[in-house]
């Protein structure tokens, strides 16, 4: 006996409401004409990749940072209008951003 049958036994007069399919709204990122800058730095002896130059809203940039971090399975943060990713992932990040329609410029090394 599943849960639906048990509920029917407890509440025989109850008519369940038809379930409505929730529409999922996909958030569109603002794609700018100017290239974003993807650069490499060493901070405290560790390699970091920094992405700067996004002209959209901070929320869009945070969403983009989360997508990059999850696709690369790395740590990182969003700070001072830049995304800081742990490790040197410039090539992979550039491929991800170009697939989304962004122009990316590689800086440093």
């Amino acid at each position: 006996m599943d849960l639906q049958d048990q509920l029917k036994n407890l509440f025989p007069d109850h008519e369940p409401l038809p379930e409505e399919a929730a529409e999922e709204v996909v958030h569109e990122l603002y794609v700018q004409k100017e290239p974003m800058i993807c650069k490499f730095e060493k901070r405290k002896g560790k390699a970091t990749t920094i992405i700067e130059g996004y002209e959209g809203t901070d929320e869009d940039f945070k969403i983009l940072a989360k997508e990059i971090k999850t696709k690369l399975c790395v740590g990182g943060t969003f700070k001072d209008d830049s995304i800081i990713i742990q490790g040197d992932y410039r090539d992979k990040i550039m491929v991800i951003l170009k697939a989304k329609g962004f122009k990316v410029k590689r800086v440093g090394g």
Side-chain angles (χ1 to χ4, degrees):
M1 184 180 268
D2 67 340
L3 183 62
Q4 293 295 329
D5 293 334
Q6 291 176 3
L7 289 173
K8 285 180 185 176
N9 288 340
L10 289 173
F11 305 105
D13 297 333
H14 178 69
E15 292 293 323
L17 296 174
E19 294 183 22
E20 296 179 12
E23 293 183 21
E24 190 172 314
V25 178
V26 178
H27 186 74
E28 290 291 324
L29 294 174
Y30 170 73
V31 179
Q32 62 193 25
K33 294 182 180 182
E34 294 296 317
M36 293 173 58
I37 297 172
C38 186
K39 63 183 178 178
F40 171 77
E41 280 186 12
K42 281 201 166 195
R43 294 187 175 186
K44 297 181 183 177
K46 303 200 179 197
T48 58
T49 305
I50 300 170
I51 304 162
E52 297 176 330
Y54 186 68
E55 297 172 356
T57 63
D58 283 347
E59 290 301 317
D60 288 349
F61 208 31
K62 286 179 185 178
I63 292 169
L64 186 63
K66 185 169 183 168
E67 283 183 31
I68 290 171
K69 290 190 298 183
T70 54
K71 283 187 180 180
L72 296 177
C73 300
V74 295
T77 185
F78 172 78
K79 193 186 289 184
D80 300 328
D81 296 329
S82 63
I83 301 171
I84 302 168
I85 304 291
Q86 296 173 355
D88 186 11
Y89 292 100
R90 286 177 290 179
D91 298 329
K92 293 179 182 178
I93 290 172
M94 289 175 70
V95 169
I96 292 169
L97 292 175
K98 285 180 182 177
K100 291 193 162 291
F102 290 100
K103 294 179 184 174
V104 185
K105 186 174 183 181
R106 183 179 172 142
V107 176

